[in-house]
Amino acid sequence: MHLVLVVPQLLGLPPEAYTACAALGRLARYAPAPTPFPDGLDVGLLAALGCPQDTPCAPLAALGAGFDPGDALVMRADPISLIAGRDNVRLAGRVDDLSTPDTQALVDALNAHFAADGITFHASRPDAWFLTTTIDEAPTTTALPAVTGAIHAQMPRGRQSVAWRRWLSEMQMLLHAAAANAARESAGYAAANGIWISGGGRLREVAPAPVVVCAATQREGDVARGLALHAGTVPLDLPANHASLPVAERVVAVLPKVADVDALHALDVAWLAPAVAALERAALDSLTVVADATGNAAHLWRARRPAWHRRLVARFSPAPFVPPAPGGEE
C-alpha cells in the first residue's frame, strides 16, 4: 500500500515542539530532502499522486466541496482582506471566519453585479468560494499560499488579464461597501474586502487518479475528495487512527490541523508513529507526508522501506525533526 498523509499546519509549531515526535525524525532520515511546493498543500498532494504539474486545483476543490461545475471553467474565488498602503495594496490574509448569512449576502451582491459579465459566484461553504465564467480560457494566476508582499505583480496575467484586473477592482469596491463588511469591522473582525482568483480549469482537464480518500469536510480536504469523486469513488470519513484505514493500493488521508503541541502528540500517537512503524516492517510500500504551516508553502517527504542498517541508526541514534525554513530550505 502507498499511503499519503496530508497534515495541515504540521510545520507551524516552534522547533522544540517536535522533540518528542520521534516518528517524524525517523521519516526525515528515510526520505530524501523534502520537496517544497510554494503553491501549497493542494499542489503538493497532486504531486504526491503523480498528477501532471499543470493539473488545475479549482475544479477538484469545487467538486470536493459539494459544487459540481460540470464542464464550466471554474476558479477559486477566495475572500481576502486587503490593506491599502501609501504606494501599494498588500494581502492581510484569507478571511476564514465568515458566517453563512454574511457569505450568502456577499455572494448575492457579487452575482447581481457580475451577471452581465458571465461570472457567477458559488459558495459551497463559508470557507469554499468559487466562480464560474463563460470566458474560454483561465488567466495565469498565483496561488494564495504563494502571495507575498504587494499584490500588483501577482495579479492575473496572460490572456484576458486586463479584464480580470478590472473585475477584481470592481469586486473590491463592491465588497468594501457591503453592509456585512461594515458590521464585521464594527465587531472587530477583518473585512472581506477582496477576492483572490486562482487554480482555474475544467474537470475534463484532470486525468482521473484512482485513489481511496479519507478526509473530513474541511477546506484542506476538498481537492482530495474531488479527486476521489472525479475517479468515480466516494470519499470516506477520516477514521480514528492509522490502524482503521481501508486497505487499498493507494490511500490518501487528510488529517486534522495541527494547532498546538497537544494536537501534534495526538497526531503522533494515532497516525505518524504507526505509519512509520508500518513502513519499517514493510506493511507499507511507501509513506508520503505533505505538510504546511498555516496555509503557506507545503513540503513533501516520500520514503520507501529503509534498509535494516538505516532502521538501526534511526532507532539507536535518533535525530530530532527539523521543519524546513519558510523559504523552502532546511
Side-chain angles (χ1 to χ4, degrees):
M1 183 167 91
H2 300 274
L3 175 61
V4 178
L5 298 180
V6 179
V7 194
Q9 301 184 18
L10 173 64
L11 307 179
L13 301 179
E16 60 272 16
Y18 304 99
T19 304
C21 191
L24 273 178
R26 301 208 306 279
L27 175 67
R29 277 199 167 183
Y30 300 153
T35 304
F37 290 92
D39 289 349
L41 278 179
D42 292 337
V43 175
L45 169 60
L46 294 176
L49 296 175
C51 298
Q53 188 174 358
D54 59 353
T55 300
C57 289
L60 291 170
L63 191 61
F67 164 54
D68 186 346
D71 196 45
L73 176 61
V74 58
M75 288 182 272
R76 288 189 185 274
D78 290 309
I80 56 174
S81 184
L82 296 169
I83 300 174
R86 178 180 298 178
D87 301 315
N88 56 48
V89 177
R90 303 173 72 88
L91 174 70
R94 190 177 183 280
V95 179
D96 289 321
D97 58 354
L98 287 167
S99 67
T100 298
D102 283 353
T103 296
Q104 192 62 56
L106 295 175
V107 166
D108 287 347
L110 289 164
N111 280 335
H113 182 86
F114 287 99
D117 296 303
I119 296 172
T120 306
F121 287 81
H122 313 263
S124 305
R125 302 186 309 264
D127 66 343
W129 289 36
F130 306 92
L131 66 77
T132 52
T133 174
T134 55
I135 293 176
D136 290 336
E137 183 179 337
T140 301
T141 57
T142 302
L144 194 54
V147 177
T148 58
I151 67 170
H152 179 75
Q154 300 164 88
M155 298 285 276
R157 305 171 297 284
R159 290 190 60 187
Q160 302 289 339
S161 60
V162 173
W164 277 109
R165 290 184 178 221
R166 172 172 56 82
W167 288 329
L168 289 173
S169 294
E170 292 178 17
M171 293 173 199
Q172 290 178 30
M173 291 186 286
L174 182 67
L175 293 172
H176 178 75
N181 270 322
R184 283 180 60 84
E185 289 187 294
S186 296
Y189 295 100
N193 57 7
I195 297 292
W196 194 262
I197 60 170
S198 64
R202 294 177 173 83
L203 280 174
R204 59 179 158 87
E205 299 168 355
V206 181
V211 62
V212 173
V213 169
C214 301
T217 302
Q218 59 185 33
R219 175 181 169 81
E220 291 79 9
D222 284 344
V223 167
R225 285 194 305 275
L227 278 166
L229 291 166
H230 188 51
T233 60
V234 177
L236 306 175
D237 291 336
L238 184 70
N241 50 45
H242 173 267
S244 303
L245 279 173
V247 177
E249 177 65 20
R250 290 199 298 177
V251 176
V252 172
V254 183
L255 305 185
K257 296 177 183 178
V258 181
D260 51 33
V261 175
D262 289 340
L264 176 61
H265 175 71
L267 176 84
D268 185 32
V269 171
W271 292 96
L272 294 176
V276 172
L279 181 71
E280 291 169 333
R281 65 176 186 270
L284 291 178
D285 297 298
S286 70
L287 173 60
T288 302
V289 172
V290 185
D292 71 348
T294 317
N296 295 323
H299 287 77
L300 180 152
W301 290 261
R302 190 196 306 273
R304 295 187 178 274
R305 189 185 188 228
W308 66 268
H309 61 277
R310 295 187 67 193
R311 300 199 301 274
L312 285 177
V313 171
R315 284 194 174 275
F316 293 105
S317 298
F321 176 76
V322 179
E329 298 181 358
E330 291 185 288

